[in-house]
């Protein structure tokens, strides 16, 4: 499974050299070149998420439109495995851990530049959003890779100020997980488990 997964995650989309592993939802609508053995992981950018009034409905509208615009039927007909990965947690020094946006009563210049990534004080905002999005995604018959709960505990595995770019910007990155870590191992394990489940259900569709 691991060899096949590693090979197919790098299979290019038609007319596109980006990996299919992290095709940005809403840009790639389905591809006849995908075939049995390919794995497509869809997710949304965390920048869509907001704890402002109406933020969750805007997020659901965004995800729903993108899924409707994506040719899921063609992707499934190719024999490819289509998955959705939950949006990972942010750990900015705000109550919800989300990045402070203008209008939310928080001064980003003060609270984010001077602060560092911190454990979540209130995970309920992001947890509710992930739950709502997961329900929506499953209504399109797309399986979901659990990721939020594992990431919510890993406030100490962000880039934070550990890169030269972050240091020169004098800012804190409490969004991205880009280095080998226990979270990366967990996410990879969830993905491999999903592929194995698909293999058992569809033995003739995998090469």
């Amino acid at each position: 499974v691991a060899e096949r997964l590693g090979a197919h995650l790098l299979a290019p989309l038609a007319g596109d050299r980006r990996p299919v592993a992290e095709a940005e939802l809403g840009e790639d609508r389905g591809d006849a070149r995908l075939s049995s053995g390919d794995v497509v992981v869809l997710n949304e950018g965390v920048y869509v998420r907001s704890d402002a009034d109406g933020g969750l409905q805007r997020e659901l509208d965004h995800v729903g439109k993108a899924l409707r615009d994506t040719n899921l039927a063609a992707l499934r007909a190719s024999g490819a495995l289509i998955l959705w990965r939950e949006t990972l947690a942010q750990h900015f020094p705000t109550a919800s851990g989300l990045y402070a946006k203008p209008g939310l009563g928080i001064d980003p210049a003060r609270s984010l530049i001077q602060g560092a990534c911190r454990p979540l004080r209130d995970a309920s905002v992001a947890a509710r959003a992930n739950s709502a999005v997961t329900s929506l995604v499953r209504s399109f018959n797309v399986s979901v890779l659990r990721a939020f709960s594992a990431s919510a505990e890993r406030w100490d595995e962000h880039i934070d100020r550990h890169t030269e770019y972050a240091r020169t910007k004098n800012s804190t990155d409490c969004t991205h997980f880009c280095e080998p870590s226990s979270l990366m191992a967990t996410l990879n394990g969830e993905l491999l488990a999903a592929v194995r489940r698909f293999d058992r259900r569809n033995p003739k569709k995998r090469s």
Side-chain angles (χ1 to χ4, degrees), residues 25-167:
L25 188 59
E27 289 188 4
D28 300 303
R29 309 302 184 188
D31 173 25
R33 291 179 58 188
L34 289 173
S35 61
S36 176
D38 290 332
V39 178
V40 180
V41 179
L42 306 172
N43 66 350
E44 63 172 332
V46 71
Y47 61 85
V48 176
R49 184 154 293 168
S50 168
D51 54 3
D53 290 343
L56 178 56
Q57 188 57 55
R58 285 192 295 272
E59 182 175 350
L60 292 173
D61 291 344
H62 168 82
V63 173
K65 181 181 186 304
L67 286 169
R68 287 190 296 273
D69 290 348
T70 300
N71 195 344
L72 294 173
L75 292 174
R76 292 194 184 96
S78 72
L81 170 59
I82 314 302
L83 300 165
W84 174 274
R85 192 190 71 189
E86 289 182 330
T87 300
L88 303 181
Q90 292 177 301
H91 294 88
F92 286 101
T94 60
S96 66
L98 299 178
Y99 186 82
K101 298 178 177 65
L104 295 189
I106 301 171
D107 178 6
R110 177 171 54 80
S111 64
L112 299 184
I113 290 179
Q114 295 180 0
C117 304
R118 299 176 185 173
L120 290 178
R121 285 183 285 162
D122 181 6
S124 64
V125 173
R128 282 197 303 270
N130 265 308
S131 179
V133 170
T134 292
S135 296
L136 174 62
V137 168
R138 285 178 172 157
S139 74
F140 286 84
N141 198 29
V142 175
S143 297
V144 175
L145 293 172
R146 292 294 187 181
F148 174 74
S149 292
S151 69
E153 300 296 325
R154 302 319 316 167
W155 63 273
D156 55 343
E157 294 184 356
H158 289 288
I159 293 177
D160 201 359
R161 294 177 183 269
H162 303 311
T163 66
E164 184 63 28
Y165 176 78
R167 286 192 292 270

